[in-house]
Amino acid sequence: MIIAEKARPAPDWQVSRWFNSSKALQVGDFAGKVIVLEAFQMLCPGCIYYGLPMAQKITSHFKPEDVAVIGLHTVFEHHHAMGPEALEVFLKEYRITFPVGVDEKGDDAMPRTMEAYHMQGTPSTILIDAQGRYRTRYFGTVEDMRIAADITKLIAERDANLAMNEEETFTSDAADLIGATNDQCTDEGCKLP
Amino acid sequence: MIIAEKARPAPDWQVSRWFNSSKALQVGDFAGKVIVLEAFQMLCPGCIYYGLPMAQKITSHFKPEDVAVIGLHTVFEHHHAMGPEALEVFLKEYRITFPVGVDEKGDDAMPRTMEAYHMQGTPSTILIDAQGRYRTRYFGTVEDMRIAADITKLIAERDANLAMNEEETFTSDAADLIGATNDQCTDEGCKLP
Amino acid sequence: MIIAEKARPAPDWQVSRWFNSSKALQVGDFAGKVIVLEAFQMLCPGCIYYGLPMAQKITSHFKPEDVAVIGLHTVFEHHHAMGPEALEVFLKEYRITFPVGVDEKGDDAMPRTMEAYHMQGTPSTILIDAQGRYRTRYFGTVEDMRIAADITKLIAERDANLAMNEEETFTSDAADLIGATNDQCTDEGCKLP
Amino acid sequence: MIIAEKARPAPDWQVSRWFNSSKALQVGDFAGKVIVLEAFQMLCPGCIYYGLPMAQKITSHFKPEDVAVIGLHTVFEHHHAMGPEALEVFLKEYRITFPVGVDEKGDDAMPRTMEAYHMQGTPSTILIDAQGRYRTRYFGTVEDMRIAADITKLIAERDANLAMNEEETFTSDAADLIGATNDQCTDEGCKLP
């Protein structure tokens, strides 16, 4: 995983249609949660056998306030066989209940979001941290222990950040201290010289 | 399984299009072989997880001179999502190499062959014996030991029939005896009065 | 599999103690049934993970009048850790209900029956036909389809033999014909000169 | 999991013999690491099929500086069949390389450590945090995602504690401030009144 300090904002999702969601979704909507972005194609065997069952399992092992699982239909071949109408049936038959976006087709027929994330194929699993930063990506199958450990790290990091932010909040409450010149201490605290 | 004596000819396949076969196929084309007819829908999870992998495994555990595995795409819902073009992609992605026929849609949108075989859903696995008779059908998952035992029984039955036919061949060699009237015995045998 | 005509009698079992059986058992006791002889060691991982579960599954997929599953504890190393008292606990904990014999230790500490069958290690699965003839042996894991097909072949062969024997029985009913000298035919049949 | 604040020191291990370790081990030896204590019996099917493979998998998914996997042979029945000599063979055959202690038999023939941890049977998996506190226990099978998430939480908590301890270290560097009475601030910091 990319360490938090070096991580950059996850690219926006470019989605032409959403399923299992009444509105368009974006990375920023999930601030405070770890996002598992599961990229798949409905006719990709590895997605059916491993990727999607893992994504589904994540929804039952982690709390919705901690982790958001989002599917992304990144069709990069055989577009005619995997249109939105077929996908809708697919999601119903496979009982997939998390939101799934159809990755927007670019000029070269490559899905735009897939390109933005430099994915190498399907299934790909992307982890985005609670601050919306891109942290890691897997291509192909991932062992349950591995993905669960990585998700949990990001949740713990968020919780630590929350604690740190509270300290920072303290710091910012004490911000006016910074400018204090006459006296080193106020009722709120003390400033080192 | 229906015992051989009570078994009736397997209904003809009513297929609108074949994949993995250069010509239309029919039950009668496989005389002398046991037929495993695997009915599936490309968006049926049980077919993907159990039915088709079992059918594929059968092709590698039995000899082509003994067993013919034939797929039948019996779409009875969501027809728009599982048309022949989508199926073609599906077969390629899942590397299915045995012949697959598209079950012809009847007036009520139900697949005609599926109806003729009184199938209850997908996946369904039908066994047809080497004489083209319908012998048994499974609905849902079947354990490997069970299907392998049943297929083997039908191969053995065929081999016994072959042996019996050879005896009958002997009988037919002796056919002229039947018409013998003067003498009950010839050098070749004897005829009961 | 060795073809029936070339098959030889399965070696006798040399067993020092039986579990799950009130009496000593021998190949000849199972005439008319196919015998699956499952050789294992209680501390052999491959036996625990594959061999014994397969043997147990065979007991539930085949009828007791067709197939007898017999375990053989062929300890060829670490004898002190796998004595009969430990085996007794093992069989109880793993809920193994078919008869299990302790292969008698020979002069070289090798199990005698294991040697007689030229087994290469554990797990080994031996098939003995309904006439008590050694027909085949597997070493290591065997796919369910493979073992089920082979067992079914031997059952079918037995049934064909039974049919053949009935014909022979007919012949033996007609046995007095053999001694007939004056006339070639009786009411019961005709004898070739 | 018991929250850190309410957690109590994990009971000492009462072990009569160690395998895969040149010296006796104790909870305290692993300060700074999360301990996975895997309690098993060598003739317990659930331990063989699920518990021990999971423990082994943990050793390959987590770093040795983060997690210590320790086996505990908690024989509470059939002691004669699962003595240390048999266990030694078992560990070799199953290629278990992490340290395994033999739980000391108490007066009632119950293993003392098992009793101290109030385990309900085998397999049992105990998590002890990096400060040697008992945090949680599972009985029976545990899903990979679950155990990996829980272990990772404890690693993250340790890391947060390490950070906190560094702060506390700062605090303790500033400890003499506590006793400061005359002036609220020194060069090192300021004390709130």
Side-chain angles (χ1 to χ4, degrees):
Chain A
M1 262 199 301
I2 298 166
I3 60 166
E5 289 68 24
K6 297 200 172 170
R8 293 193 298 183
D12 273 351
W13 301 330
Q14 301 178 65
V15 161
S16 55
R17 184 170 167 186
W18 284 94
F19 292 97
N20 298 333
S21 173
S22 55
K23 60 186 184 68
L25 301 172
Q26 199 44 270
V27 176
D29 298 336
F30 300 95
K33 297 186 187 192
V34 174
I35 301 172
V36 178
L37 182 67
E38 183 65 29
F40 71 100
Q41 295 184 99
M42 58 175 278
L43 295 185
C44 145
C47 302
I48 306 302
Y49 291 131
Y50 309 109
L52 289 170
M54 182 192 70
Q56 198 84 37
K57 209 189 288 183
I58 289 168
T59 66
S60 67
H61 273 82
F62 291 90
K63 295 178 193 161
E65 57 266 33
D66 288 336
V67 177
V69 174
I70 306 291
L72 185 69
H73 199 223
T74 52
V75 181
F76 59 86
E77 52 181 359
H78 312 302
H79 295 84
H80 66 286
M82 297 188 270
E85 293 75 19
L87 177 62
E88 185 167 27
V89 173
F90 173 86
L91 297 176
K92 182 175 175 296
E93 296 292 334
Y94 280 79
R95 298 178 192 185
I96 288 170
T97 53
F98 50 77
V100 172
V102 176
D103 200 353
E104 197 168 67
K105 193 159 47 170
D107 296 334
D108 54 353
M110 278 295 289
R112 290 185 194 277
T113 313
M114 188 175 206
E115 281 196 326
Y117 280 82
H118 302 293
M119 296 182 205
Q120 298 153 283
T122 56
S124 280
T125 308
I126 310 282
L127 293 189
I128 297 170
D129 68 23
Q131 301 189 28
R133 293 173 301 197
Y134 169 91
R135 298 300 294 276
T136 197
R137 153 189 103 199
Y138 318 86
F139 175 42
T141 62
V142 197
E143 286 217 55
D144 281 2
M145 279 200 184
R146 174 85 189 273
I147 190 87
D150 283 352
I151 291 171
T152 307
K153 266 181 225 165
L154 293 180
I155 297 172
E157 189 183 279
R158 175 202 63 178
D159 293 344
N161 281 334
L162 283 179
M164 202 183 303
N165 282 334
E166 280 162 21
E167 289 168 30
E168 285 171 0
T169 299
F170 167 78
T171 305
S172 77
D173 279 354
D176 53 344
L177 273 175
I178 306 295
T181 49
N182 296 335
D183 203 334
Q184 302 305 84
C185 288
T186 71
D187 287 347
E188 280 176 283
C190 300
K191 185 191 166 206
L192 287 175
Chain B
M1 261 199 304
I2 299 166
I3 60 167
E5 289 69 23
K6 297 200 172 171
R8 294 193 299 183
D12 272 350
W13 303 329
Q14 299 177 65
V15 162
S16 55
R17 183 168 166 187
W18 284 93
F19 291 98
N20 298 332
S21 173
S22 55
K23 61 187 184 68
L25 301 172
Q26 200 43 270
V27 177
D29 297 336
F30 300 94
K33 297 185 186 190
V34 174
I35 300 173
V36 178
L37 183 67
E38 183 65 28
F40 70 101
Q41 295 183 99
M42 58 175 279
L43 296 185
C44 145
C47 302
I48 306 302
Y49 290 131
Y50 308 109
L52 289 170
M54 181 192 72
Q56 199 83 37
K57 210 190 288 184
I58 290 169
T59 65
S60 67
H61 272 81
F62 291 90
K63 295 179 193 160
E65 57 265 34
D66 287 336
V67 176
V69 174
I70 306 291
L72 186 69
H73 198 225
T74 53
V75 181
F76 58 87
E77 52 180 0
H78 312 303
H79 295 84
H80 66 285
M82 297 188 270
E85 292 75 18
L87 177 62
E88 185 167 27
V89 173
F90 173 86
L91 297 176
K92 182 175 174 296
E93 296 292 334
Y94 280 79
R95 298 180 193 185
I96 289 170
T97 52
F98 49 78
V100 172
V102 176
D103 200 352
E104 197 168 67
K105 193 158 46 169
D107 297 333
D108 54 354
M110 279 294 290
R112 291 185 194 278
T113 312
M114 187 176 207
E115 282 197 325
Y117 280 82
H118 303 292
M119 295 182 204
Q120 296 153 284
T122 55
S124 280
T125 308
I126 310 282
L127 294 188
I128 298 170
D129 69 21
Q131 300 189 29
R133 294 172 301 197
Y134 168 91
R135 298 301 292 279
T136 196
R137 149 190 106 198
Y138 318 87
F139 175 43
T141 62
V142 197
E143 286 217 54
D144 281 2
M145 278 199 184
R146 174 85 189 274
I147 190 86
D150 282 353
I151 291 171
T152 308
K153 266 181 225 166
L154 293 181
I155 297 171
E157 189 183 281
R158 174 201 64 179
D159 293 344
N161 280 335
L162 284 178
M164 204 183 303
N165 283 334
E166 280 162 20
E167 288 168 28
E168 285 171 0
T169 299
F170 166 78
T171 305
S172 78
D173 280 354
D176 53 344
L177 272 175
I178 307 296
T181 48
N182 296 335
D183 203 332
Q184 303 304 83
C185 288
T186 71
D187 286 348
E188 281 175 283
C190 301
K191 186 192 166 204
L192 286 176
Chain C
M1 262 198 302
I2 299 166
I3 61 167
E5 289 69 23
K6 296 199 172 170
R8 294 192 298 184
D12 273 350
W13 301 330
Q14 300 177 66
V15 162
S16 55
R17 183 167 166 188
W18 283 93
F19 291 98
N20 298 333
S21 173
S22 56
K23 61 186 184 66
L25 301 172
Q26 199 43 269
V27 178
D29 298 335
F30 299 95
K33 297 185 187 192
V34 174
I35 300 172
V36 178
L37 183 67
E38 183 66 27
F40 70 101
Q41 295 184 98
M42 59 175 280
L43 295 185
C44 144
C47 302
I48 306 302
Y49 290 131
Y50 308 109
L52 289 170
M54 182 191 72
Q56 198 84 36
K57 210 189 287 184
I58 290 168
T59 65
S60 67
H61 272 81
F62 291 90
K63 296 180 194 158
E65 56 265 35
D66 288 336
V67 176
V69 174
I70 305 291
L72 186 69
H73 199 224
T74 52
V75 181
F76 58 87
E77 51 181 359
H78 312 301
H79 294 85
H80 65 286
M82 296 188 270
E85 292 75 19
L87 177 62
E88 185 166 28
V89 173
F90 173 87
L91 296 176
K92 183 175 174 297
E93 296 292 335
Y94 280 80
R95 298 178 194 186
I96 288 170
T97 52
F98 50 77
V100 172
V102 176
D103 200 353
E104 196 167 68
K105 193 157 47 169
D107 297 334
D108 53 355
M110 278 295 289
R112 291 185 194 276
T113 313
M114 187 175 207
E115 282 197 326
Y117 280 82
H118 303 292
M119 296 182 204
Q120 296 153 284
T122 56
S124 280
T125 309
I126 310 282
L127 293 188
I128 298 169
D129 69 22
Q131 299 188 30
R133 295 173 300 198
Y134 168 92
R135 298 300 292 278
T136 198
R137 149 190 106 198
Y138 317 87
F139 175 43
T141 63
V142 197
E143 286 217 53
D144 281 2
M145 280 200 183
R146 173 86 189 273
I147 190 89
D150 282 352
I151 291 171
T152 308
K153 265 180 226 166
L154 294 180
I155 297 172
E157 189 184 281
R158 173 202 64 180
D159 293 344
N161 281 334
L162 284 178
M164 203 183 301
N165 283 334
E166 280 162 20
E167 289 168 28
E168 285 171 0
T169 299
F170 167 78
T171 305
S172 78
D173 279 354
D176 53 344
L177 272 175
I178 307 296
T181 48
N182 295 338
D183 203 332
Q184 304 304 86
C185 289
T186 72
D187 287 346
E188 281 174 283
C190 301
K191 186 191 166 206
L192 286 174
Chain D
M1 260 199 302
I2 299 167
I3 60 166
E5 289 68 25
K6 297 201 172 170
R8 294 193 299 185
D12 273 350
W13 301 330
Q14 300 177 65
V15 162
S16 55
R17 183 168 167 187
W18 284 94
F19 291 97
N20 298 333
S21 173
S22 56
K23 61 187 183 68
L25 301 172
Q26 199 44 270
V27 177
D29 298 335
F30 299 95
K33 297 187 187 191
V34 174
I35 301 173
V36 178
L37 182 67
E38 183 66 28
F40 70 100
Q41 295 184 98
M42 58 175 278
L43 295 185
C44 146
C47 302
I48 306 302
Y49 291 132
Y50 308 108
L52 290 170
M54 182 191 70
Q56 198 83 36
K57 210 190 286 184
I58 290 169
T59 65
S60 67
H61 272 82
F62 291 90
K63 295 179 194 159
E65 56 265 34
D66 288 336
V67 177
V69 174
I70 305 292
L72 186 69
H73 199 224
T74 54
V75 181
F76 58 87
E77 51 181 359
H78 312 303
H79 295 84
H80 66 285
M82 296 188 269
E85 293 74 19
L87 177 62
E88 185 166 28
V89 173
F90 173 86
L91 296 175
K92 182 174 175 295
E93 296 291 335
Y94 280 79
R95 298 179 193 186
I96 288 170
T97 52
F98 49 78
V100 172
V102 176
D103 200 353
E104 198 168 65
K105 195 159 45 170
D107 297 335
D108 54 354
M110 279 294 290
R112 291 184 194 277
T113 312
M114 188 176 207
E115 281 197 325
Y117 280 81
H118 303 292
M119 296 181 204
Q120 297 153 284
T122 55
S124 280
T125 308
I126 311 282
L127 293 188
I128 297 170
D129 69 22
Q131 299 189 28
R133 293 173 302 198
Y134 168 92
R135 298 301 292 277
T136 197
R137 142 189 111 200
Y138 317 87
F139 175 43
T141 63
V142 197
E143 286 215 55
D144 280 1
M145 280 200 184
R146 174 87 189 272
I147 191 86
D150 283 353
I151 291 171
T152 308
K153 265 181 227 166
L154 293 180
I155 296 171
E157 189 183 280
R158 174 201 63 180
D159 292 344
N161 281 335
L162 284 179
M164 202 183 304
N165 282 334
E166 281 163 17
E167 289 167 30
E168 286 172 358
T169 299
F170 168 78
T171 304
S172 78
D173 279 354
D176 53 342
L177 273 176
I178 307 295
T181 47
N182 297 335
D183 202 333
Q184 302 305 85
C185 285
T186 72
D187 287 348
E188 280 176 286
C190 300
K191 184 189 168 206
L192 286 175

